[in-house]
Amino acid sequence: MSFIYSTAVGATAAPNPVSPSVATVMPAEWEAHQRTWMAFPPPNETFGPAGSPTLDRARAAWTKVAQTIARYEPVAVVADPRDATAAREWLGAGIDVVEVPLDDAWLRDSGPTFVHQPDGSLAAVDWIFNGWGAQEWAAWGKDEAVAGTVAATARVPVRPSSLVNEGGGFHVDGEGTVLLTETVQLDPGRNPGATKESVEAQVSAALGTSKTIWLPRGLTRDYDEFGTRGHVDIVAAFAGPGTILLHRQDDPAHPDHAVYLQLKTVLSGQLDAQGRPLRIIDVPAPTTLKDDEGWVDWSYINHYVANNVVVLCSFDDPNDAIAAGILERAYPGRTVELVDARDIFAFGGGIHCITQQQPAVREGIA
């Protein structure tokens, strides 16, 4: 299935905004997709200069994920115009390349969040993106416009939000429940003066949620200099109505062991938006504890669910097979594809961080 481009590929203007009074709902990630969006790593401070071995490593890792997903559903990759030729060479036939100015390649965060409107058509939530809380190392002058450009290319109207947010900062079950972390949503660098109530109101208006489950924090490594300050999609994720996958670190020496115990306590006894008690499925972390930078945040939670497949981070670790078995049971009927994610994590994220689903249009949900 080929991607149908707008008349101006890489256009900077999106279709007319959706009225805030129009109810929209973000479907669960495991619902049917029209396509997956990704970004092609550009030369920058994270990936290295043009022609560098580190940039090639990033492009190889991103390409492997794109090609794996493309076996199951269409994939569109945005690439900076200077890198479009290289992107087409790396990605090969069957993956569409859309030219869009880029600072970075974490499309889960800079791209739009697609939601269903009452008639089943799509809209795109355009959060304010400011480099994960205006961090000193981040550049976002181009990336802050990516969501609107992707929406225009996909011919999807935009629903602007005044909340500074990223796609990795929340996870929904599609039935009214959302997971958030306090350290992201209440970050003074993102939303100074925000309260839980004000954040919940804006998230609810954008995603159609009615129950927020607040987690106090994310994984330890995510608070290092180049972290996101606690994205939820690396530590906890819905895998079905009433079901949450939770990152479990078993080694008491690793600081995430204490984080796991804290989050397990918070989640235990919670109800979802439909009044169901949460079923928590522990997913053991890889056995590797450290890399050259310190305690690792390697996590199987940061997987991506596409049509008929789960693309799961692998780490050449004994627990890869254990995690694959857990996810096969959590997502029955889907193939679990293991893709080496060590290079992606070395650059600051995982497979979920570099992907963004565009759901299929469906019948009215009003």
Side-chain angles (χ1 to χ4, degrees):
M1 179 180 176
S2 179
F3 181 73
I4 305 301
Y5 298 100
S6 65
T7 54
V9 174
T12 57
N16 291 331
V18 175
S19 167
S21 64
V22 176
T24 55
V25 175
M26 183 181 180
E29 191 169 304
W30 54 83
E31 295 190 34
H33 295 182
Q34 187 171 347
R35 66 178 54 84
T36 292
W37 287 88
M38 297 179 62
F40 188 69
N44 65 13
E45 293 296 323
T46 299
F47 303 123
S52 65
T54 54
L55 180 60
D56 284 349
R57 280 173 49 205
R59 289 177 171 178
W62 266 245
T63 294
K64 180 62 176 178
V65 172
Q67 291 175 340
T68 300
I69 298 170
R71 297 202 299 268
Y72 296 88
E73 67 181 58
V75 176
V77 176
V78 298
D80 193 274
R82 62 184 168 169
D83 301 319
T85 298
R88 293 183 176 96
E89 292 173 351
W90 276 92
L91 295 163
I95 295 178
D96 293 296
V97 174
V98 181
E99 297 184 25
V100 179
L102 291 177
D103 294 303
D104 221 318
W106 307 99
L107 202 77
R108 174 67 54 178
D109 295 341
S110 60
T113 298
F114 291 98
V115 293
H116 282 128
Q117 301 189 87
D119 64 357
S121 64
L122 295 180
V125 178
D126 186 0
W127 313 101
I128 296 174
F129 180 73
N130 75 343
W132 303 278
Q135 300 201 49
E136 291 184 1
W137 53 266
W140 61 91
K142 299 174 184 176
D143 280 357
E144 65 183 355
V146 166
T149 304
V150 168
T153 306
R155 297 181 181 272
V156 173
V158 168
R159 185 181 178 94
S161 174
S162 60
L163 190 71
V164 177
N165 203 2
E166 305 96 35
F170 56 86
H171 209 277
V172 302
D173 66 353
E175 296 190 5
T177 318
V178 62
L179 294 173
L180 302 176
T181 57
E182 295 176 13
T183 54
V184 168
Q185 304 297 332
L186 305 181
D187 177 12
R190 288 176 166 98
N191 300 298
T195 64
K196 287 185 177 180
E197 292 74 20
S198 67
V199 169
E200 287 181 21
Q202 293 188 73
V203 169
S204 175
L207 306 181
T209 54
S210 58
K211 171 66 180 286
T212 303
I213 297 175
W214 286 93
L215 301 181
R217 56 165 298 145
L219 297 183
T220 302
R221 181 74 167 262
D222 214 6
Y223 298 89
D224 286 355
E225 179 183 2
F226 300 107
T228 71
R229 301 173 181 160
H231 271 185
V232 73
D233 69 347
I234 199 170
V235 67
F238 287 106
T243 300
I244 287 182
L245 301 174
L246 180 64
H247 179 82
R248 188 186 79 204
Q249 174 55 252
D250 289 326
D251 195 316
H254 196 302
D256 285 337
H257 176 69
V259 174
Y260 159 71
L261 294 176
Q262 181 185 22
L263 300 186
K264 185 69 174 281
T265 298
V266 170
L267 290 169
S268 296
Q270 289 270 9
L271 304 179
D272 68 10
Q274 304 301 318
R276 293 173 294 226
L278 293 181
R279 180 170 69 107
I280 303 169
I281 300 176
D282 289 346
V283 183
T287 60
T288 301
L289 297 180
K290 288 187 175 183
D291 62 11
D292 293 340
E293 302 297 326
W295 299 107
V296 299
D297 59 352
W298 294 358
S299 171
Y300 301 110
I301 304 302
N302 200 265
H303 56 278
Y304 179 61
V305 184
N307 294 341
N308 300 315
V309 68
V310 177
V311 186
L312 176 62
C313 301
S314 68
F315 305 95
D316 192 25
D317 189 275
N319 281 353
D320 290 354
I322 294 173
I326 293 172
L327 267 66
E328 284 176 351
R329 294 187 292 275
Y331 299 102
R334 279 182 160 86
T335 300
V336 174
E337 295 267 13
L338 287 161
V339 176
D340 194 323
R342 286 173 291 180
D343 277 341
I344 304 175
F345 272 81
F347 290 116
I351 289 174
H352 196 256
C353 303
I354 67 174
T355 52
Q356 181 63 264
Q357 67 272 15
Q358 180 179 339
V361 173
R362 67 183 185 189
E363 295 182 4
I365 56 177

